[in-house]
Amino acid sequence: MATTADIRKGLCIEFSNDIYKVIEFLHVKPGKGPAFVRTKLKSVTNGKVVDNTFSAGHKIEEVKVITRKFQYLYDDENGFHFMNNDDFSQIYINKDMIENAQFMKPGEEVTIILKESDESPLSAEIPPTVFLEVVEADPGVKGNTATNALKNAIVETGARVMVPLFIEPGDKIKVNTEDGSYIERVK
C-alpha cells in the first residue's frame, strides 16, 4: 500500500475499480488547511482522463507493471499486433490503448506496459519522435514566405502533418508524436 507521497508521473494505481496511470501531479501545501495532491489520471483500459485530488497521506493501491520493448508488425480493423524481440512471442493490443498510433510504421519499436501479475497489456507508448517519409505534399504558394508558412503533407503512415513550404514528396522528416508537429527535415 502506497501513500500520496509516493505519487510520481507514470505510476499505475487502482482507483474507482479501474487501473489509472498518473499523467500529472502537483503537491499543494496551502498556507491555511491541510496539504493535498492534485492529479490528472488516465485510464489504461479506456483512455479516459480524470482529475482527482487526494488528501495528504491518503492510501493508494499501486499496481505493479513491467515495461518491455516490442516491434510493431501490422494492424487490422480492431487493433495492432506486436512481437517481443526477446522470445518472438506476439501480443495484440486494441486501437484505443495507443495514443497517436497514426505515426507508427511497421518495424518501429514500441514500449508496452504489462500488468506484472498476469502480464496482460495495459497500454503502449510510441517513441516521442519518429522519422517518416513525405508521400504527398500540397504545393507551396510563391511569395507567401514572410512568416512561417505551413502546408499539408501526408507521410508514409497516412497521417497528416503541417510542414514548411520547402518540404517536397520524398523528403524524410522528423515528427513529434505527442502533437503531430513537424520538427526538422532529415538528410
Side-chain angles (χ1 to χ4, degrees):
M1 202 59 137
T3 65
T4 54
D6 301 317
I7 290 180
R8 64 190 179 281
K9 189 174 179 183
L11 176 74
C12 291
I13 62 171
E14 198 165 316
F15 176 71
S16 297
N17 298 324
D18 199 1
I19 298 173
Y20 285 87
K21 184 177 180 180
V22 177
I23 300 173
E24 294 176 10
F25 71 98
L26 179 65
H27 288 278
V28 180
K29 297 177 189 167
K32 189 176 182 183
F36 58 90
V37 180
R38 191 174 290 135
T39 61
K40 188 176 277 192
L41 306 170
K42 180 179 179 188
S43 171
V44 294
T45 55
N46 61 21
K48 186 176 165 185
V49 177
V50 295
D51 292 322
N52 190 52
T53 302
F54 296 102
S55 58
H58 182 82
K59 301 276 188 218
I60 54 174
E61 186 70 39
E62 185 177 354
V63 177
K64 299 287 185 194
V65 295
I66 307 167
T67 58
R68 290 204 179 116
K69 297 279 187 189
F70 283 79
Q71 182 180 11
Y72 169 53
L73 297 175
Y74 63 94
D75 66 326
D76 56 24
E77 62 276 346
N78 297 323
F80 301 97
H81 296 266
F82 297 91
M83 179 182 67
N84 187 336
N85 290 331
D86 298 330
D87 61 3
F88 305 111
S89 62
Q90 291 189 17
I91 193 169
Y92 173 81
I93 294 186
N94 290 331
K95 287 194 177 201
D96 59 347
M97 294 175 79
I98 303 176
E99 281 186 51
N100 300 321
Q102 70 270 22
F103 297 112
M104 283 193 320
K105 62 181 179 179
E108 193 81 34
E109 245 191 26
V110 175
T111 303
I112 296 181
I113 300 171
L114 306 163
K115 193 173 184 181
E116 190 178 61
S117 58
D118 59 358
E119 293 204 12
S120 60
L122 297 175
S123 68
E125 298 172 353
I126 62 175
T129 60
V130 291
F131 300 100
L132 299 169
E133 184 176 333
V134 175
V135 177
E136 186 181 316
D138 290 346
V141 179
K142 195 169 186 161
N144 192 10
T145 57
T147 60
N148 290 340
L150 299 174
K151 64 181 181 179
N152 275 320
I154 299 175
V155 293
E156 61 187 294
T157 61
R160 288 192 179 276
V161 180
M162 295 299 287
V163 297
L165 296 176
F166 59 83
I167 299 294
E168 297 296 328
D171 288 350
K172 284 199 176 281
I173 60 172
K174 187 176 183 181
V175 177
N176 180 346
T177 58
E178 283 186 26
D179 58 5
S181 63
Y182 165 86
I183 297 175
E184 66 183 354
R185 180 166 49 178
V186 180
K187 299 278 184 221

